[in-house]
Amino acid sequence: MQNTQNTQNKIPIDLHCHSDFSDGSYNVKDLLDLIVKHEGKHIALTDHDTVSGIESATTYAKSLNLNLIAGVEISVTWREHLIHIVGLNINYTNKLLNDELYKLRQARIERSKKIAERLESIGIKNSLAGAMNFCKNPENISRTHFMKFLIANNYASRNNAFDKYLAPGKIAYIKQQWATLEQSIYWIRQAGGVAVIAHPCRYKLNKNLLIELIKDFKQLGGMAIEVVTPNHSTNDANTIALIAKEYDLLASLGSDFHEYKPSQIITPGKNYPLPKICKPVYQSEYLNLIIS
Ligand code: AMP
Ligand code: MN
Ligand code: MN
Ligand code: MN
């Protein structure tokens, strides 16, 4: 959402955040401290393809009087598109979920070797070791870590590392079969959670394809969609709110926080409220937050 409103209007709920267990820059403790500083109260840790941070986050959140919701953001391939499905309020000890996420992380390690080979082919040496230097959890290496390596070594700027090398169609983009949409929803549901389509406008799907994604998602047991996220303009949020109403999906909101820069509007812990027509996932039977 663009920063057109007074940040005082934000509500202290954030259902999408990353730590350095995936591609966030902050460790769990520093992330939660930052959330408290920004007056967040209800926070979901949703690292990519891992729940490794949830236990320590739960313990530390208790000491801060913060309501920590166990979450995950699963990488999915749907009709050749990389889609992210967030799971909220999961039992993070669920064996199926843990076993399957482990396989996704193994695939990340294999992919990282291929990314490095591609970069090597255009003269960019030692990128795997270089990316690993930015990766606190080596079993969960991400394109973000390659981006940090490329920037640090002047191969790219923060604005164009993906466009130059890492985005679909670029030299270091490796096509990957992640989880299927069906698997991601099944794992989340088996772990007692609710499945949410993350940042739907980021995939650049045309309207028909987005509706097909939503129909598949619903038919497979998905329940919610992100409406308010920094990935969306105000217009995007209003469009998705209308679609959510039409397809009877609950609405979610989150900062998709990865790193803090004082100049940026993205801070973890608080978000602009959902449009009035939305049914918030945080007030549904799946989450039922007590908002004080
Ligand atoms: P991966 O899961 O390893 O394929 O990496 C995807 C992650 O890269 C996303 O979760 C974002 O955090 C980040 N990302 C994707 N596209 C961009 C972009 N254009 N600029 C900066 N970061 C991006
Ligand atoms: Mn990310
Ligand atoms: Mn995402
Ligand atoms: Mn995310």
Side-chain angles (χ1 to χ4, degrees), residues 66-101:
L66 201 60
N67 179 25
L68 196 286
I69 296 142
V72 65
E73 182 173 18
I74 302 180
S75 307
V76 165
T77 307
W78 177 82
R79 301 195 196 174
E80 309 254 307
H81 297 277
L82 170 61
I83 304 290
H84 285 168
I85 301 296
V86 163
L88 295 175
N89 216 6
I90 49 172
N91 170 3
Y92 64 91
T93 66
N94 179 270
K95 183 168 175 353
L96 174 74
L97 179 69
N98 277 271
D99 288 353
E100 296 296 340
L101 294 179

Side-chain angles (χ1 to χ4, degrees), residues 106-179:
Q106 292 296 109
R108 282 180 173 279
I109 294 171
E110 292 309 310
R111 180 187 65 160
S112 70
K113 294 174 192 161
K114 294 182 194 157
I115 292 176
E117 279 168 19
R118 293 278 185 87
L119 290 171
E120 177 100 31
S121 78
I122 53 165
I124 300 178
K125 295 193 194 321
N126 299 323
S127 66
L128 184 53
M132 282 293 183
N133 277 336
F134 291 97
C135 182
K136 297 283 159 45
N137 183 16
E139 60 141 26
N140 207 10
I141 178 101
S142 153
R143 280 184 290 161
T144 307
H145 303 115
F146 279 93
M147 174 188 81
K148 289 181 176 176
F149 161 80
L150 290 166
I151 295 167
N153 291 278
N154 298 318
Y155 291 111
S157 70
R158 181 158 292 279
N159 291 333
N160 69 11
F162 271 78
D163 288 345
K164 261 174 110 170
Y165 304 106
L166 299 167
K170 300 298 152 68
I171 183 82
Y173 185 77
I174 307 295
K175 264 195 168 177
Q176 188 95 351
Q177 176 59 52
W178 299 103

